[in-house]
Amino acid sequence: MHLLGALFTSSIGKKLLMALSGLVLFGFVTGHLLGNLQIFLPPDAINLYAHRLESLGAGLWLIRSFLLVCLIIHVWIAIKLTLENRAARPEGYAAQHVNRATLASRVMARTGFVVLAFVVFHLAHYTVRVGHPEWSEHSYLLADGTLVRDVHAMMVQGFSHAGVSIFYILAVGILAYHLSHGIVSLVQTLSLKNERWTRGLERFAVAYCWLYFLLNASIPVAVLGGFVKQHA
């Protein structure tokens, strides 16, 4: 119990929780992207993928709950650390050293709030289906005769709305920007960063984040451009 309390009260403990929750969320957004990219395959692929997830039943909600807890911890600690850093840093010191920090690191808290707002919207849109109750009735017949939810149609209809697609592209762009600093910071907090491969790590972070953004953005762009259409 004392150790658990130290994680939430000490500076090192909070940074460790920040890194570990960030690692979980990093794994999730990567897996989520790989799942969504199946929209470019025949409808059977993404509908079967979604059906297998839904077949987990209570297990899926446990996973969602765990991810939500990680997200809350990540955001809460980010706010706490930001406020503590501002309180401990004299104005003159900040003015002299602000140029040493990357732009991404200086706006981590603000980009984090935008990402949080996007997550809430994304869950309300596709998981809870707010504004689209009819999506709960959409069904699709797999090749083996199994009747499943038509997630392919949901995604195509959702991204056919230009406003939704533009917001999605902007949000994943901000998320990618957030990750560009988060990846390096995570490795540094876990004491895995050293001078020998710091530059390579930074290059990996930039390459990953550009790839993450472009692949995510390709989905709404493909729908709006008519390259991915709703099946007959």
Side-chain angles (χ1 to χ4, degrees):
M1 186 63 68
H2 179 71
L3 178 60
L4 183 61
L7 284 175
F8 285 92
T9 56
S10 70
S11 177
I12 294 176
K14 282 183 281 193
K15 288 179 180 179
L16 181 60
L17 280 175
M18 181 79 149
L20 292 176
S21 60
L23 182 61
V24 171
L25 296 172
F26 171 78
F28 167 71
V29 297
T30 302
H32 187 62
L33 169 61
L34 295 176
N36 285 347
L37 287 175
Q38 294 180 74
I39 192 70
F40 292 106
L41 301 175
D44 273 53
I46 196 164
N47 286 336
L48 177 58
Y49 165 73
H51 175 65
R52 285 174 174 169
L53 287 178
E54 291 184 346
S55 297
L56 295 175
L60 179 59
W61 283 104
L62 285 175
I63 294 171
R64 286 171 172 167
S65 299
F66 174 67
L67 290 170
L68 180 60
V69 169
C70 287
L71 180 61
I72 292 172
I73 289 174
H74 197 75
V75 172
W76 177 74
I77 293 179
I79 295 172
K80 289 282 291 183
L81 289 175
T82 299
L83 293 176
E84 289 173 5
N85 288 338
R86 287 180 179 175
R89 182 183 300 159
E91 290 299 322
Y93 178 90
Q96 292 172 9
H97 290 78
V98 69
N99 289 330
R100 294 187 182 181
T102 64
L103 179 60
S105 67
R106 298 202 301 271
V107 298
M108 280 292 281
R110 278 168 282 184
T111 57
F113 279 118
V114 176
V115 171
L116 180 60
F118 165 66
V119 169
V120 172
F121 170 79
H122 197 56
L123 286 173
H125 192 208
Y126 282 114
T127 302
V128 184
R129 294 177 285 279
V130 173
H132 296 279
E134 72 280 4
W135 285 353
S136 298
E137 306 301 323
H138 287 184
S139 58
Y140 181 85
L141 191 65
L142 295 174
D144 64 0
T146 304
L147 196 64
V148 301
R149 190 187 307 280
D150 197 346
V151 173
H152 185 278
M154 284 172 49
M155 290 182 66
V156 172
Q157 290 178 21
F159 287 125
S160 293
H161 190 288
V164 170
S165 288
I166 291 172
F167 176 63
Y168 181 86
I169 293 171
L170 288 174
V172 295
I174 292 172
L175 174 55
Y177 194 62
H178 186 85
L179 288 171
S180 68
H181 172 74
I183 292 172
V184 177
S185 179
L186 183 156
V187 174
Q188 184 174 7
T189 300
L190 296 177
S191 300
L192 299 175
K193 181 181 176 183
N194 59 56
E195 294 299 326
R196 285 191 305 168
W197 55 288
T198 293
R199 185 57 61 87
L201 174 63
E202 292 172 348
R203 288 174 178 171
F204 165 78
V206 171
Y208 170 87
C209 292
W210 268 110
L211 185 63
Y212 178 81
F213 168 68
L214 292 173
L215 289 177
N216 266 299
S218 69
I219 298 173
V221 168
V223 172
L224 288 175
F227 300 105
V228 174
K229 301 179 181 179
Q230 188 169 340
H231 57 84

